[in-house]
Amino acid sequence: MSIKIGVQFNVKQVQDQVGRLKADLQDKVIAQALGKTAEKARAEMTRQITREFAIKAKDVRPSIYIDRPRMGKVSMITIKAFPSKKGKRSRNVMLFGARPAPGSEKRRVKVKLPDGRWVMRVVSVGGGVSVKIRKGESRKVIKGAFIGNKGRTVFMREGDGRLPIKGVQTIDVPQMFNTKRINEAVVRKILQDFPRELNRLVAYRLSKL
């Protein structure tokens, strides 16, 4: 499931800004300004998400897509966020700096060595995996979880036995994208940048006349 935000601009007001240009240049300049603004908005969305959540930009960018800016009665910029896997709303917590968290309790257990001998060892019990979802928050321990799949996935056992197991999931980029503070920051960026980009491009075109 994708999540999107759209920002509309009144075409009449926009055309007033480009009115000094020749008619054949006006739509082209508007489209260029929308495109530049959309790319900046995509970068701002990535920046806002990585500022609030403990996720790397390289894991955010592939999920954010810009619809081709549209012109007509309304000029519009639409930004969408797609889940990392189609049909999924969550992502494995491995993405958020997962690492083993030894338990605070100790227990003596009998361990078999490679040479066949049995010895007693003191091991930590009651641990799990620690992750950090949001920046500014402390790491959280998921008790009983463990890292598998060659270090790529955090799992939990569903019963007392070794199997079955299931992945431990949390929010994906679309849910981060849909955070009110992040959405509002990106909309402000779009509303701020579009007039600037349009004025800059108009000035550039006029300088070439």
Side-chain angles (χ1 to χ4, degrees), residues 12 25 37 42 55 63 65-66 92 106-107 112 115 124 134 140 143-144 177 189 199:
K12 185 179 184 306
L25 285 178
T37 302
R42 182 173 182 264
I55 185 173
S63 295
Y65 174 80
I66 301 169
N92 194 271
K106 303 292 183 181
R107 180 181 299 171
K112 188 175 184 179
D115 62 7
S124 298
R134 289 180 181 268
K140 293 180 172 60
K143 292 185 177 180
F177 176 100
K189 179 72 172 171
N199 287 334

Short mmCIF file of all heavy atoms in Angstrom, two decimals, residues 12 25 37 42 55 63 65-66 92 106-107 112 115 124 134 140 143-144 177 189 199:
data_model
loop_
_atom_site.label_atom_id
_atom_site.label_comp_id
_atom_site.label_asym_id
_atom_site.label_seq_id
_atom_site.Cartn_x
_atom_site.Cartn_y
_atom_site.Cartn_z
N LYS A 12 -3.37 30.04 -12.91
CA LYS A 12 -3.46 31.47 -13.27
C LYS A 12 -2.38 32.27 -12.56
O LYS A 12 -1.71 33.12 -13.15
CB LYS A 12 -4.84 32.02 -12.93
CG LYS A 12 -5.03 33.47 -13.39
CD LYS A 12 -6.41 33.98 -13.08
CE LYS A 12 -6.60 35.39 -13.63
NZ LYS A 12 -5.56 36.33 -13.20
N LEU A 25 7.49 29.43 -24.34
CA LEU A 25 8.42 29.10 -23.26
C LEU A 25 7.71 28.93 -21.91
O LEU A 25 8.26 28.32 -21.00
CB LEU A 25 9.48 30.20 -23.11
CG LEU A 25 10.59 30.25 -24.15
CD1 LEU A 25 11.50 31.44 -23.87
CD2 LEU A 25 11.40 28.95 -24.13
N THR A 37 11.43 21.49 -8.16
CA THR A 37 10.83 21.53 -6.82
C THR A 37 10.53 20.13 -6.32
O THR A 37 10.75 19.81 -5.14
CB THR A 37 9.54 22.37 -6.85
OG1 THR A 37 9.84 23.68 -7.32
CG2 THR A 37 8.92 22.46 -5.46
N ARG A 42 11.65 15.52 -2.69
CA ARG A 42 12.04 14.12 -2.45
C ARG A 42 13.26 14.05 -1.52
O ARG A 42 13.31 13.24 -0.59
CB ARG A 42 12.35 13.44 -3.78
CG ARG A 42 12.72 11.97 -3.67
CD ARG A 42 12.84 11.36 -5.06
NE ARG A 42 13.15 9.95 -5.00
CZ ARG A 42 14.38 9.44 -5.10
NH1 ARG A 42 15.41 10.25 -5.25
NH2 ARG A 42 14.57 8.14 -5.04
N ILE A 55 17.23 5.31 10.47
CA ILE A 55 17.31 4.58 9.21
C ILE A 55 18.23 5.34 8.27
O ILE A 55 18.30 6.57 8.33
CB ILE A 55 15.89 4.41 8.59
CG1 ILE A 55 15.94 3.54 7.34
CG2 ILE A 55 15.26 5.75 8.30
CD1 ILE A 55 14.55 3.21 6.79
N SER A 63 12.25 3.92 -1.88
CA SER A 63 10.81 3.81 -1.61
C SER A 63 10.04 5.08 -1.94
O SER A 63 8.81 5.08 -1.89
CB SER A 63 10.58 3.47 -0.13
OG SER A 63 11.10 2.19 0.18
N TYR A 65 8.93 8.01 -4.53
CA TYR A 65 8.75 8.20 -5.98
C TYR A 65 8.00 9.50 -6.24
O TYR A 65 7.08 9.85 -5.50
CB TYR A 65 7.97 7.01 -6.54
CG TYR A 65 7.59 7.13 -7.99
CD1 TYR A 65 8.50 6.85 -9.00
CD2 TYR A 65 6.29 7.51 -8.35
CE1 TYR A 65 8.14 6.96 -10.33
CE2 TYR A 65 5.93 7.62 -9.68
CZ TYR A 65 6.86 7.35 -10.66
OH TYR A 65 6.50 7.46 -11.98
N ILE A 66 8.39 10.20 -7.29
CA ILE A 66 7.73 11.45 -7.67
C ILE A 66 6.91 11.20 -8.93
O ILE A 66 7.45 10.76 -9.95
CB ILE A 66 8.75 12.56 -7.94
CG1 ILE A 66 9.60 12.82 -6.71
CG2 ILE A 66 8.04 13.85 -8.37
CD1 ILE A 66 10.78 13.72 -6.98
N ASN A 92 11.38 -5.68 8.48
CA ASN A 92 12.07 -6.35 9.57
C ASN A 92 12.90 -5.35 10.37
O ASN A 92 13.52 -4.44 9.81
CB ASN A 92 12.97 -7.46 9.02
CG ASN A 92 13.44 -8.40 10.11
OD1 ASN A 92 14.48 -8.19 10.72
ND2 ASN A 92 12.67 -9.45 10.36
N LYS A 106 22.67 -14.88 34.68
CA LYS A 106 23.71 -15.85 34.36
C LYS A 106 23.26 -17.25 34.75
O LYS A 106 22.53 -17.43 35.74
CB LYS A 106 25.02 -15.51 35.08
CG LYS A 106 25.57 -14.11 34.80
CD LYS A 106 26.05 -13.97 33.37
CE LYS A 106 26.66 -12.58 33.14
NZ LYS A 106 27.12 -12.40 31.75
N ARG A 107 23.70 -18.22 33.98
CA ARG A 107 23.35 -19.61 34.30
C ARG A 107 24.52 -20.51 33.91
O ARG A 107 25.16 -20.30 32.88
CB ARG A 107 22.10 -20.01 33.54
CG ARG A 107 21.64 -21.44 33.81
CD ARG A 107 20.40 -21.78 33.01
NE ARG A 107 19.28 -20.91 33.36
CZ ARG A 107 18.14 -20.88 32.69
NH1 ARG A 107 17.99 -21.64 31.62
NH2 ARG A 107 17.16 -20.08 33.07
N LYS A 112 29.21 -29.14 25.23
CA LYS A 112 30.07 -30.16 24.62
C LYS A 112 31.10 -29.48 23.73
O LYS A 112 30.77 -28.71 22.83
CB LYS A 112 29.24 -31.13 23.80
CG LYS A 112 30.03 -32.33 23.30
CD LYS A 112 29.13 -33.33 22.59
CE LYS A 112 29.91 -34.57 22.16
NZ LYS A 112 29.03 -35.56 21.48
N ASP A 115 36.18 -31.59 20.93
CA ASP A 115 36.90 -32.86 21.14
C ASP A 115 36.05 -33.91 21.85
O ASP A 115 36.53 -34.99 22.19
CB ASP A 115 38.20 -32.61 21.91
CG ASP A 115 37.95 -32.04 23.31
OD1 ASP A 115 36.77 -31.97 23.72
OD2 ASP A 115 38.92 -31.67 23.98
N SER A 124 24.99 -16.07 29.53
CA SER A 124 23.93 -15.09 29.78
C SER A 124 22.61 -15.65 29.27
O SER A 124 22.55 -16.27 28.21
CB SER A 124 24.24 -13.78 29.06
OG SER A 124 25.44 -13.22 29.53
N ARG A 134 13.51 5.15 16.59
CA ARG A 134 13.52 6.61 16.47
C ARG A 134 14.79 7.19 17.08
O ARG A 134 15.25 6.73 18.12
CB ARG A 134 12.31 7.23 17.18
CG ARG A 134 10.99 6.99 16.48
CD ARG A 134 9.86 7.64 17.26
NE ARG A 134 8.57 7.44 16.65
CZ ARG A 134 8.00 8.27 15.77
NH1 ARG A 134 8.63 9.38 15.43
NH2 ARG A 134 6.82 8.01 15.26
N LYS A 140 15.75 -0.40 22.38
CA LYS A 140 14.77 -1.28 23.01
C LYS A 140 15.18 -2.73 22.77
O LYS A 140 15.61 -3.09 21.67
CB LYS A 140 13.38 -1.02 22.44
CG LYS A 140 12.82 0.35 22.80
CD LYS A 140 11.44 0.55 22.20
CE LYS A 140 10.79 1.83 22.73
NZ LYS A 140 11.57 3.02 22.41
N LYS A 143 12.89 -9.13 23.76
CA LYS A 143 13.28 -10.33 24.51
C LYS A 143 12.96 -11.59 23.72
O LYS A 143 11.89 -11.73 23.14
CB LYS A 143 12.57 -10.35 25.86
CG LYS A 143 13.05 -9.26 26.80
CD LYS A 143 12.42 -9.41 28.17
CE LYS A 143 12.96 -8.36 29.13
NZ LYS A 143 12.36 -8.47 30.48
N GLY A 144 13.92 -12.48 23.72
CA GLY A 144 13.73 -13.76 23.05
C GLY A 144 14.02 -13.75 21.56
O GLY A 144 14.02 -14.79 20.92
N PHE A 177 6.85 8.19 6.24
CA PHE A 177 6.46 9.24 5.29
C PHE A 177 5.16 9.91 5.73
O PHE A 177 4.97 11.12 5.56
CB PHE A 177 6.30 8.55 3.93
CG PHE A 177 5.81 9.41 2.79
CD1 PHE A 177 6.71 9.91 1.86
CD2 PHE A 177 4.46 9.65 2.60
CE1 PHE A 177 6.26 10.65 0.77
CE2 PHE A 177 4.01 10.39 1.51
CZ PHE A 177 4.92 10.90 0.61
N LYS A 189 8.32 22.98 2.37
CA LYS A 189 9.47 23.05 1.46
C LYS A 189 9.01 23.26 0.03
O LYS A 189 9.58 24.07 -0.72
CB LYS A 189 10.28 21.75 1.59
CG LYS A 189 11.49 21.67 0.68
CD LYS A 189 12.61 22.58 1.13
CE LYS A 189 13.87 22.32 0.33
NZ LYS A 189 14.92 23.34 0.58
N ASN A 199 10.84 31.79 -10.37
CA ASN A 199 11.44 33.12 -10.58
C ASN A 199 12.86 33.00 -11.12
O ASN A 199 13.28 33.79 -11.98
CB ASN A 199 11.44 33.91 -9.27
CG ASN A 199 10.06 34.39 -8.88
OD1 ASN A 199 9.19 34.57 -9.74
ND2 ASN A 199 9.83 34.59 -7.59
#
